[in-house]
Amino acid sequence: MTRNIDRWAVKHHPYVLEYLRIALGIFIFIKGVMFISDYRSLQHMIEISHFQGYAMGIAHLVAFAHLAGGPMIALGLKTRFACLLQIPILIGAVLFTSFGKGIYAENYYLVEASITLMLLIFYAFYGSGYISLDRKLRDNTKDILY
């Protein structure tokens, strides 16, 4: 009976969730590239920061998390772990950089960060899904063990 349920789940799997995860990973990677390439804005952010000594380290940490975590989410490799690393960054983006401006049409950064945060929380629970390297590696280890 469980094989029939598994077979039905594979056949009727909502692939839109897989494509959304892939798009989310690509989006996060692109945001990391944009974060690094906008050096003047990064330098200005560090100059106005109250934590100038820590700001450069935090900026490098955010860039590395986006550049490494984005492809991991897109490929479905340790998706829950990669999402959990991104969630504090996006909470910071929502609370500190976007939230003070309010919800207006010109403040699309708040909407963008909020949607990204909700998707990261969803995939932290949902996992990598069917089209993923996690599933491929899990299936290969089952073949080896049996």
Side-chain angles (χ1 to χ4, degrees):
M1 183 172 167
T2 58
R3 287 186 185 183
N4 290 337
I5 293 172
D6 287 340
R7 200 173 301 130
W8 181 89
V10 168
K11 187 176 181 181
H12 295 92
H13 183 75
Y15 286 102
V16 69
L17 295 177
E18 306 298 326
Y19 301 131
L20 187 61
R21 187 203 74 232
I22 293 167
L24 175 66
I26 292 170
F27 175 75
I28 289 173
F29 178 76
I30 290 171
K31 291 302 270 187
V33 170
M34 290 171 58
F35 187 75
I36 289 175
S37 64
D38 192 7
Y39 182 76
R40 291 176 197 235
S41 179
L42 179 61
Q43 187 177 16
H44 176 69
M45 179 184 72
I46 291 171
E47 288 173 358
I48 64 170
S49 172
H50 297 291
F51 307 102
Q52 290 182 359
Y54 299 109
M56 187 58 88
I58 291 171
H60 282 86
L61 182 66
V62 168
F64 176 75
H66 282 351
L67 293 175
M72 287 175 69
I73 293 170
L75 294 172
L77 181 64
K78 304 295 181 191
T79 304
R80 288 187 173 111
F81 174 72
C83 288
L84 289 174
L85 288 179
Q86 301 294 323
I87 288 173
I89 296 169
L90 268 295
I91 289 173
V94 168
L95 294 179
F96 297 117
T97 62
S98 304
F99 198 64
K101 298 176 185 174
I103 302 175
Y104 296 108
E106 68 267 3
N107 190 15
Y108 67 92
Y109 293 115
L110 176 62
V111 175
E112 177 184 285
S114 300
I115 291 171
T116 305
L117 177 62
M118 287 187 286
L119 287 172
L120 285 170
I121 291 170
F122 173 76
Y123 284 108
F125 287 105
Y126 178 73
S128 55
Y130 187 72
I131 304 173
S132 67
L133 287 179
D134 280 342
R135 187 189 67 81
K136 182 82 169 159
L137 292 172
R138 188 174 45 246
D139 289 349
N140 285 342
T141 57
K142 285 181 183 177
D143 291 339
I144 293 170
L145 293 176
Y146 297 111

